[in-house]
Amino acid sequence: MILSRRAVLAALAFALPLTGPARAQGAPPVVFAAASLTNAFQDIGAAYAGKTGIKPVFSFAASSALAKQIESGAPATIFASADTKWMDYAVAKDLVVPDTRITPIGNSLVLIIPADRAMPPTIDAVDVDTILGPQGRIATGLTDSVPIGIYAKAALASLGLWDKVKARVVGAESVRAALALVERGEAAAGIVYATDAAVARNVKVVGVFPPGSHEPVVYPFALVKGQDTPEARALLAFLAGPEAKAIYAKYGFVVK
């Protein structure tokens, strides 16, 4: 049978979504979230499931990678970024619903070393050679794209240390990947979020970077374009609600 042009167009219109990535009807909401939110969001997801019977699915990675995946059509419901840059990117690319954007939490930046090492000088009187030794490297996120790496580069530059250490920086794909390098002793030091250091088993904190040495660490959340439903808004509201804020505080996030 030969289909008419009108029939073909009608079939295509029925088959293709008008806006936003498609998700199967009745599928659980999918939250694309910065890796540093892993522990808190897992607890919050369990709490939400207990209240509603709906268990969100989480995909954790660097905010940069998640934004690019959403741009490529990944079927996310909510995007939770670890900085404003990648949320601004999502807004500029028309990937999220701007009026749903919220920023409920923040974080701080810390310098860590493996737990079995002697404590070196603190950040206030940092001695790079003492901390790293002759061959040691410092792990953080990729400094041109991953939020923790961007914050780390800015903080080191502010303290006049970037030119001295840039050749020894190991840029990982996410803050959790950088943390793992220090936990395993594969890096002499690392720059991660305070909340990641708090849940790590084999690291200790040398000091906290001064807040003025980098842009404020904040976490903007927003609904992905095409996913603006009452159910999605309910989950987004829960992620910024009192029960979630208590969980954020437990993990050391700064609650707004």
Side-chain angles (χ1 to χ4, degrees), residues 42-56 238 243:
Q42 286 174 339
D43 285 4
I44 293 168
Y48 189 73
K51 282 183 172 294
T52 66
I54 299 171
K55 187 175 183 180
F238 191 85
E243 192 165 349

Side-chain angles (χ1 to χ4, degrees), residues 151-162:
Y151 290 127
K153 180 179 178 179
L156 291 169
S158 175
L159 296 174
L161 297 170
W162 175 248

Side-chain angles (χ1 to χ4, degrees), residues 189-209:
I191 300 175
V192 299
Y193 301 119
T195 52
D196 293 292
V199 299
R201 295 181 178 179
N202 300 311
V203 305
K204 54 190 174 186
V205 174
V206 175
V208 181
F209 283 89

